[in-house]
Amino acid sequence: MGCKSVRIGDVAFFRKESVKPAPGTTYRCYSLPAFDNGKTPEILDGSEILSNKLAIEDGDILVNKLNMRFKRIWPIESLPANSVCSTEFVPLSPKGNIDRSYLLYVLLSDDFTNSLSGMRTGTSGSHQRVKPEWILDYRFNLPDEVAQRRIGSVLSTIDCKIKANTQLNGYLAA
């Protein structure tokens, strides 16, 4: 399995299209509080959204800029119409040269989090941000496409099993 060193910017692009929410239109807003609340997007009227947001599309992976050490990485699937995300996220759209699951696990890795946590800017410990270009410049090893799919599939299967076991433990405790 030969690997090559690539940057995230080589395999994904930063979707930075700004959206000004319109009053009278319902939006699904992917925000840090929504992530922390069970990864459930807020449903808001445009009049309730007081700042511009970023456009997102099905298949994007949201990477938090604020307090990177908390690892808020949100893969977007089955996206409803009028979905937007907070500018505290960097929406990454995988290019055709990477398996989306493999990219997700690179972004979830401790190495990614630790590398970027050390590069943050800000005045207080609770409001430390990383710059999108630092995310895009992060280097990692990229195996061939077959290996990417296998690695992504194995890790995804393990995550599904962990989720099922956690849910079962919750039922047993109740």
Side-chain angles (χ1 to χ4, degrees), residues 61-78:
I61 301 171
L62 306 182
V63 179
N64 62 303
K65 296 189 302 186
L66 180 66
N67 299 328
M68 175 68 76
R69 68 187 183 278
F70 293 122
K71 204 181 282 197
R72 294 176 179 116
I73 310 295
W74 199 348
I76 303 301
E77 297 164 13
S78 304

Side-chain angles (χ1 to χ4, degrees), residues 16-57:
K16 40 188 164 176
E17 177 189 341
S18 183
V19 174
K20 181 172 176 38
T25 301
T26 301
Y27 293 87
R28 298 240 174 352
C29 187
Y30 292 73
S31 64
L32 295 178
F35 181 94
D36 294 340
N37 189 26
K39 293 185 182 177
T40 304
E42 299 170 277
I43 300 173
L44 302 168
D45 183 82
S47 63
E48 300 173 274
I49 302 173
L50 305 177
S51 62
N52 284 358
K53 300 298 176 203
L54 293 172
I56 53 176
E57 291 186 16

Side-chain angles (χ1 to χ4, degrees), residues 134-146:
W134 297 344
I135 294 170
L136 296 172
D137 282 341
Y138 175 78
R139 294 194 83 77
F140 64 98
N141 290 323
L142 183 68
D144 63 65
E145 290 181 39
V146 171

Side-chain angles (χ1 to χ4, degrees), residues 77-143:
E77 297 164 13
S78 304
L79 194 65
N82 294 325
S83 292
V84 294
C85 77
S86 164
T87 56
E88 293 297 349
F89 280 115
V90 174
L92 294 177
S93 180
K95 296 178 182 177
N97 58 344
I98 190 165
D99 178 76
R100 181 176 178 265
S101 291
Y102 185 83
L103 176 60
L104 174 63
Y105 287 106
V106 167
L107 297 168
L108 287 168
S109 73
D110 289 341
D111 186 68
F112 175 75
T113 302
N114 294 338
S115 294
L116 288 165
S117 290
M119 302 169 66
R120 63 194 184 268
T121 64
T123 55
S124 71
S126 64
H127 287 91
Q128 299 286 317
R129 286 179 178 79
V130 297
K131 295 181 180 181
E133 53 269 22
W134 297 344
I135 294 170
L136 296 172
D137 282 341
Y138 175 78
R139 294 194 83 77
F140 64 98
N141 290 323
L142 183 68

